[in-house]
Amino acid sequence: MTAARIRRAETGDAAVLLAIYAPIVRDTAISFETTAPGEAEFAGRIAASNAHHAWLLAERDGVIAGYAYATAYRARQAYRYSAEVSVYVHEQARGTGVGSALYRELFAVLAGLGYFQAYAAITLPNPQSVGLHRRVGFRRVGTLPRVGFKFGAWHDVSWWHRPLQRGRPEATAP
């Protein structure tokens, strides 16, 4: 198996990326969405992420193996140097290093854009995601108990933090 080639996702990639995401929405509590978005909405999410952050995908042997993206952590101005990140890997590519490669590239892009902190939320239990986040330098900073209700059960969400760069931001926002 060849190494993954990582590139910026485009709105035209929405259908194939949605094919990775939709089963996660439909079959798991990993995403708190209860209905997968349509292709047009998903394309809009890609465009919105790329406008100020980044949405990347990994291709391996000509097949999309996963994607990672960043969005604003929160809307208030003081949060402008922080980003919330997520990664999703195709079922057949899990455990192959695709998630780590996507995150490493995403962190470099975000730091280059002027972001300093990355945050990730993980629905529990999810030992694979916890392991991935630890491998790429996140540390757990807290848990929101019983914060989401899906499939007839309450789910906890743990929050994770990873610095993207040290120092202080310049006067301008990313």
Side-chain angles (χ1 to χ4, degrees):
M1 189 178 295
T2 62
R5 181 178 79 89
I6 298 173
R7 67 169 173 84
R8 189 170 288 260
E10 301 170 0
T11 56
D13 298 312
V16 69
L17 298 179
L18 186 55
I20 294 170
Y21 183 62
I24 293 167
V25 172
R26 183 184 62 240
D27 303 332
T28 78
I30 291 169
S31 168
F32 280 176
E33 288 194 86
T34 56
T35 304
E39 186 177 333
E41 181 182 340
F42 209 70
R45 292 179 187 186
I46 293 168
S49 174
N50 279 333
H52 299 285
H53 295 82
W55 191 307
L56 306 177
L57 62 78
E59 292 179 283
R60 181 176 273 165
D61 300 323
V63 176
I64 304 299
Y67 64 92
Y69 66 93
T71 59
Y73 170 66
R74 300 197 79 180
R76 295 201 172 120
Q77 187 67 8
Y79 294 117
R80 69 190 175 277
Y81 298 104
S82 298
E84 185 172 344
V85 298
S86 294
V87 64
Y88 293 94
V89 177
H90 189 283
E91 182 178 19
Q92 296 175 344
R94 293 179 190 149
T96 65
V98 168
S100 295
L102 279 162
Y103 259 161
R104 281 192 298 273
E105 184 67 22
L106 182 63
F107 300 153
V109 170
L110 291 173
L113 291 171
Y115 292 94
F116 282 75
Q117 313 298 331
Y119 294 91
I122 302 174
T123 303
L124 300 175
N126 190 338
Q128 295 84 2
S129 188
V130 166
L132 166 64
H133 285 81
R134 282 191 174 127
R135 279 191 301 280
V136 298
F138 279 90
R139 71 177 180 83
R140 187 172 156 187
V141 294
T143 299
L144 301 174
R146 300 169 56 89
V147 69
F149 190 81
K150 187 174 179 182
F151 299 136
W154 287 105
H155 300 278
D156 296 351
V157 171
S158 62
W159 276 95
W160 296 72
H161 167 254
R162 182 193 190 281
L164 298 171
Q165 59 179 317
R166 303 284 182 206
R168 294 172 49 127
E170 299 298 323
T172 58

